Amino acid sequence: MMQRVFLPLLTGLVTGLVTALAFLTRLAPGRERTEEELAASVPLYPAVGGILGLLLTAPFFFGLAAGHAWVQAWLFLAASLYLTRGLHWDGLADLIDAWGGAADSERFWEILKDSRMGAFGGIGLFLGLAGQLILLQTAFSRSDWGLLIWAPLLGRAMILPLAAFSDVHPRSSLGRLIRPGASGKAALLSLLLAVLAGLLLAGPATALRGLGMATLVVLVLNRLAARHGGLNGDFLGSAVVCAELAALLSGVL
């Protein structure tokens, strides 16, 4: 009886985790998946962030480039960009371009959908990458391993509340795929997991500061989406990057 109950549950969790890993990272083989499979994997995004954080941090915990915090920070950032295909940073650059150069919603979406990067996007990308590199160096100089693991987890966890409590723009294909899996219940569980992981890995003060700043990011993005008729995948990618920065900054503060 227990086997009949738990085996399908375990199989579903493994399938969902592999789907989420393949969608957000290079850590699982990619293949065609149904919309239902993609939606079912969304609640496991925080777990993907935790796995990514563990894999990125482990080599340095065991001594890679020990004593050279800037080198460790650069390698960590480069590995993160490779494993995630730069997916979220691309979204951040697109969104900042649209936010900086748009006077109305029609122009906003025209810029957002343009594959070319403009001046605002370049500035935003530079500030984000430079900021993350500096914050990573600070974390490595303090051997703050828990913070390094928690930052990617918090980033992926914040996808769910943003998607759950925002409308999806009609022109967004990615937002339409993710939104069905980001229920209010899943969003709250994601936030709870982020809090518990932060308390365990980074400590109460850092966890609360980081979650507070990441929540502010989500509120700003939610308001921007409401102003322009809904969100798309670029909003969700921006939430990941900014929440990671919030987690790392909370450790410095």
Side-chain angles (χ1 to χ4, degrees):
M1 178 64 180
M2 291 183 64
Q3 190 177 28
R4 289 201 298 269
V5 172
F6 288 109
L7 188 58
L9 179 61
L10 181 61
T11 302
L13 285 173
V14 171
T15 301
L17 183 59
V18 171
T19 300
L21 283 167
F23 185 67
L24 295 176
T25 73
R26 299 177 186 268
L27 296 174
R31 65 171 179 83
E32 289 293 326
R33 288 176 169 84
T34 65
E35 293 186 9
E36 290 75 17
E37 287 176 320
L38 289 171
S41 73
V42 170
L44 294 167
Y45 284 3
V48 171
I51 292 170
L52 185 64
L54 279 168
L55 290 177
L56 289 170
T57 304
F60 305 103
F61 177 80
F62 289 109
L64 179 63
H68 302 280
W70 279 111
V71 176
Q72 290 177 316
W74 182 78
L75 290 173
F76 185 104
L77 180 56
S80 176
L81 289 170
Y82 172 76
L83 289 178
T84 62
R85 301 182 292 271
L87 178 67
H88 312 304
W89 290 96
D90 178 67
L92 179 70
D94 288 343
L95 186 62
I96 292 178
D97 254 343
W99 171 77
D104 54 48
S105 292
E106 183 177 351
R107 179 60 178 160
F108 179 90
W109 283 96
E110 182 182 331
I111 297 172
L112 194 64
K113 290 293 185 179
D114 192 335
S115 60
R116 296 169 295 180
M117 184 171 67
F120 288 110
I123 293 168
L125 195 60
F126 171 77
L127 288 175
L129 288 169
Q132 188 158 113
L133 184 66
I134 292 167
L135 294 170
L136 285 169
Q137 189 274 340
T138 304
F140 276 113
S141 68
R142 299 176 177 182
S143 299
D144 201 344
W145 311 116
L147 179 63
L148 293 167
I149 297 169
W150 183 57
L153 188 155
L154 182 64
R156 277 79 192 161
M158 300 313 289
I159 291 176
L160 277 86
L162 179 58
F165 302 112
S166 303
D167 293 326
V168 177
H169 194 273
R171 294 173 63 180
S172 171
S173 55
L174 182 56
R176 180 178 54 81
L177 291 173
I178 289 177
R179 180 63 182 82
S183 64
K185 180 180 178 181
L188 292 175
L189 287 174
S190 176
L191 290 173
L192 179 60
L193 176 61
V195 170
L196 292 176
L199 293 173
L200 178 65
L201 294 169
T206 296
L208 292 176
R209 280 194 300 264
L211 184 65
M213 288 188 286
T215 301
L216 180 61
V217 166
V218 167
L219 291 174
V220 170
L221 291 174
N222 174 269
R223 183 177 178 84
L224 184 63
R227 189 183 306 155
H228 294 291
L231 56 70
N232 73 343
D234 293 324
F235 283 79
L236 302 176
S238 298
V240 172
V241 172
C242 293
E244 283 187 349
L245 288 168
L248 294 168
L249 182 59
S250 71
V252 174
L253 296 177

